Amino acid sequence: MKIGLYITSLVAGILLLVGCKAENKPIVVTPEDRPRPTFTIMYYAVGGGTLDEAIERTITDLAERGAKQNIRFTGCVKWTKGYTSELSDGEGSVYRFILDNSSSALKLDRVGDNNYALHDPESIADFIRWSKEASPADNYILVLAGHGNGWHPEVGLLGTRGTLRDTDLDRYISLEELCQGIAASDTHFRMIQMISCLMNTVEYITPLADYCDYILASSHISVMLCTELAFLQMSLREIEKQSNEAFIDAIGCYLDNIKLDIELKMLSDEVLDFSLTDTREVAALNGEIKRLTAMLLRLYDKADTATIAKCEEELAKAYYYIAAHTSAEEMAQTEYLRMAFTYDIVDIARRAAVAIGDSESSGIASALALQAARARVLNYTTTLDGVDEVYYGVTLTNGEKWVERGYAEAGYEDTKFDQTTGWSHFLKRNNIEVAY
């Protein structure tokens, strides 16, 4: 999936960003004993297409600016085989690095060849443990950057439900593998940021909420070029108190920087969004989704064919994340995109309530929207089509596609989200004419 354009002519414009100062400092790449920083940001990135250049720019920009007083960076990156640059050997090797505020040059340490399994939970856990040992801090942030997709079985690729795609190994780091790796590292993160497409869905948010205080993710395309770590550093270095309010304010500043960079790079016509989730609210959100599921199942149990048909017709119009930014021509030619049936859960609830037309369904839809707004404490969206706001994506497929695409075989019913809400019971029964 295309994530963004690599635009070099506007680098100078970045210096105008909120809280940004033109400052190049030497950096240290070998850890030494020194006071613990407030944050260590761990960058786990995989290239592919324009992402190879974007990852390199992210690292070199950090090196030129230097890590600031209360922040350090660690990284594990894999460029695509054949991508050769000052940092990449062209062999698709895997490198690690450390950036802090007291060194002379950026140094990348090669830790594996092109067969290095970034998707292995132990590889994920090992990087996190290494980062904590090399750069201990009061708080940790995990940033995952690469090609992602919504929760759906992926034809021809191992490790579906992909958070990051390893192009050379032709597989994704699956949601399950990511969670297993984080759990094995025994680390609780202040925030997990997903710089990859279609990650702000309830299927992803639900299990990741166990491992962090906040999740920053996109429901549409996430443009790596506009979410660079230097912008995050600009905001976090201003934090004086470790309160939730101060952290939310800092991420709000980060989103302001992203917004300005999107405008500088003339990407405002793209459908882009960034949402910060307070994970303390996720359980309550799933409680409301469970109520919505039960309401929809009761509708089918009543066998009121007229109301069912009206509801299904209305839900087919729900906000669809892929269609919002993909032309009909591309949709018709691209199997990958046609498989991502990701719709906004709040819009689904509201449309179902309109179709059913009673006070109970209206109350359920209103309560779900209210709780989704509580969970989504920050949001920035460039442009939308047909709705005023977006909240969280959810899989919406019909019974025929459920079987055809192999959702059961791919393990949807084993997800924490489905076990909490029972959403698959509705997916297996409806006949909605889903867009693809």
Short mmCIF file of all heavy atoms in Angstrom, two decimals, residues 350-371:
data_model
loop_
_atom_site.label_atom_id
_atom_site.label_comp_id
_atom_site.label_asym_id
_atom_site.label_seq_id
_atom_site.Cartn_x
_atom_site.Cartn_y
_atom_site.Cartn_z
N ARG A 350 -24.66 4.22 14.41
CA ARG A 350 -25.63 5.28 14.13
C ARG A 350 -26.56 4.88 12.98
O ARG A 350 -27.77 5.13 13.04
CB ARG A 350 -24.89 6.57 13.80
CG ARG A 350 -24.27 7.24 15.03
CD ARG A 350 -23.40 8.41 14.64
NE ARG A 350 -22.96 9.17 15.82
CZ ARG A 350 -21.99 10.08 15.81
NH1 ARG A 350 -21.36 10.35 14.66
NH2 ARG A 350 -21.66 10.71 16.91
N ARG A 351 -26.01 4.28 11.96
CA ARG A 351 -26.84 3.88 10.81
C ARG A 351 -27.77 2.74 11.19
O ARG A 351 -28.92 2.69 10.74
CB ARG A 351 -25.94 3.48 9.65
CG ARG A 351 -25.23 4.67 9.01
CD ARG A 351 -24.31 4.26 7.88
NE ARG A 351 -23.66 5.41 7.27
CZ ARG A 351 -24.19 6.19 6.34
NH1 ARG A 351 -25.41 5.92 5.89
NH2 ARG A 351 -23.54 7.22 5.85
N ALA A 352 -27.31 1.82 12.02
CA ALA A 352 -28.19 0.74 12.48
C ALA A 352 -29.34 1.30 13.29
O ALA A 352 -30.49 0.84 13.15
CB ALA A 352 -27.38 -0.26 13.30
N ALA A 353 -29.05 2.30 14.13
CA ALA A 353 -30.10 2.90 14.96
C ALA A 353 -31.15 3.59 14.10
O ALA A 353 -32.36 3.50 14.37
CB ALA A 353 -29.48 3.90 15.92
N VAL A 354 -30.72 4.26 13.04
CA VAL A 354 -31.66 4.92 12.14
C VAL A 354 -32.55 3.89 11.47
O VAL A 354 -33.77 4.07 11.34
CB VAL A 354 -30.90 5.75 11.08
CG1 VAL A 354 -31.85 6.22 9.98
CG2 VAL A 354 -30.23 6.95 11.74
N ALA A 355 -31.96 2.78 11.04
CA ALA A 355 -32.73 1.76 10.33
C ALA A 355 -33.73 1.06 11.26
O ALA A 355 -34.88 0.80 10.87
CB ALA A 355 -31.79 0.73 9.71
N ILE A 356 -33.29 0.75 12.47
CA ILE A 356 -34.17 0.04 13.42
C ILE A 356 -35.23 0.98 13.97
O ILE A 356 -36.40 0.61 14.12
CB ILE A 356 -33.34 -0.60 14.54
CG1 ILE A 356 -32.40 -1.66 13.94
CG2 ILE A 356 -34.23 -1.21 15.61
CD1 ILE A 356 -31.39 -2.22 14.91
N GLY A 357 -34.81 2.19 14.30
CA GLY A 357 -35.77 3.24 14.62
C GLY A 357 -36.44 3.18 15.96
O GLY A 357 -37.54 3.73 16.13
N ASP A 358 -35.84 2.54 16.97
CA ASP A 358 -36.44 2.56 18.30
C ASP A 358 -35.49 3.24 19.29
O ASP A 358 -34.33 3.53 18.98
CB ASP A 358 -36.81 1.16 18.78
CG ASP A 358 -35.61 0.21 18.85
OD1 ASP A 358 -34.46 0.69 18.95
OD2 ASP A 358 -35.82 -1.02 18.79
N SER A 359 -35.99 3.50 20.48
CA SER A 359 -35.21 4.25 21.49
C SER A 359 -34.02 3.45 21.99
O SER A 359 -32.97 4.01 22.31
CB SER A 359 -36.12 4.64 22.66
OG SER A 359 -36.69 3.49 23.26
N GLU A 360 -34.16 2.13 22.07
CA GLU A 360 -33.05 1.30 22.55
C GLU A 360 -31.84 1.40 21.61
O GLU A 360 -30.71 1.61 22.06
CB GLU A 360 -33.48 -0.15 22.67
CG GLU A 360 -32.34 -1.05 23.16
CD GLU A 360 -32.66 -2.54 23.03
OE1 GLU A 360 -33.60 -2.87 22.30
OE2 GLU A 360 -31.95 -3.34 23.65
N SER A 361 -32.08 1.25 20.33
CA SER A 361 -30.98 1.31 19.38
C SER A 361 -30.36 2.71 19.34
O SER A 361 -29.13 2.84 19.23
CB SER A 361 -31.45 0.90 17.98
OG SER A 361 -32.48 1.76 17.52
N SER A 362 -31.18 3.73 19.46
CA SER A 362 -30.64 5.10 19.50
C SER A 362 -29.78 5.32 20.73
O SER A 362 -28.71 5.94 20.66
CB SER A 362 -31.79 6.11 19.50
OG SER A 362 -32.51 6.04 18.29
N GLY A 363 -30.22 4.77 21.86
CA GLY A 363 -29.44 4.90 23.09
C GLY A 363 -28.11 4.17 23.01
O GLY A 363 -27.08 4.68 23.47
N ILE A 364 -28.12 2.99 22.42
CA ILE A 364 -26.88 2.21 22.27
C ILE A 364 -25.91 2.95 21.36
O ILE A 364 -24.71 3.05 21.64
CB ILE A 364 -27.20 0.81 21.72
CG1 ILE A 364 -27.88 -0.02 22.81
CG2 ILE A 364 -25.93 0.10 21.24
CD1 ILE A 364 -28.40 -1.37 22.34
N ALA A 365 -26.41 3.49 20.24
CA ALA A 365 -25.55 4.22 19.31
C ALA A 365 -24.97 5.46 19.96
O ALA A 365 -23.77 5.77 19.79
CB ALA A 365 -26.33 4.59 18.06
N SER A 366 -25.77 6.18 20.73
CA SER A 366 -25.30 7.39 21.39
C SER A 366 -24.24 7.07 22.44
O SER A 366 -23.23 7.77 22.56
CB SER A 366 -26.48 8.14 22.04
OG SER A 366 -27.39 8.58 21.06
N ALA A 367 -24.48 6.01 23.21
CA ALA A 367 -23.52 5.63 24.25
C ALA A 367 -22.20 5.17 23.64
O ALA A 367 -21.12 5.48 24.16
CB ALA A 367 -24.11 4.51 25.12
N LEU A 368 -22.27 4.45 22.52
CA LEU A 368 -21.05 4.00 21.86
C LEU A 368 -20.25 5.19 21.33
O LEU A 368 -19.02 5.26 21.49
CB LEU A 368 -21.40 3.03 20.73
CG LEU A 368 -20.27 2.15 20.19
CD1 LEU A 368 -20.86 0.93 19.47
CD2 LEU A 368 -19.34 2.88 19.23
N ALA A 369 -20.95 6.14 20.71
CA ALA A 369 -20.27 7.33 20.20
C ALA A 369 -19.62 8.13 21.32
O ALA A 369 -18.49 8.62 21.19
CB ALA A 369 -21.25 8.20 19.43
N LEU A 370 -20.30 8.25 22.43
CA LEU A 370 -19.76 8.99 23.58
C LEU A 370 -18.51 8.31 24.12
O LEU A 370 -17.50 8.97 24.42
CB LEU A 370 -20.83 9.10 24.66
CG LEU A 370 -20.43 9.88 25.93
CD1 LEU A 370 -20.08 11.32 25.59
CD2 LEU A 370 -21.56 9.82 26.96
N GLN A 371 -18.55 6.99 24.25
CA GLN A 371 -17.39 6.27 24.78
C GLN A 371 -16.23 6.28 23.79
O GLN A 371 -15.06 6.36 24.19
CB GLN A 371 -17.77 4.83 25.14
CG GLN A 371 -16.66 4.05 25.80
CD GLN A 371 -16.11 4.73 27.05
OE1 GLN A 371 -16.86 5.31 27.84
NE2 GLN A 371 -14.80 4.69 27.22
#
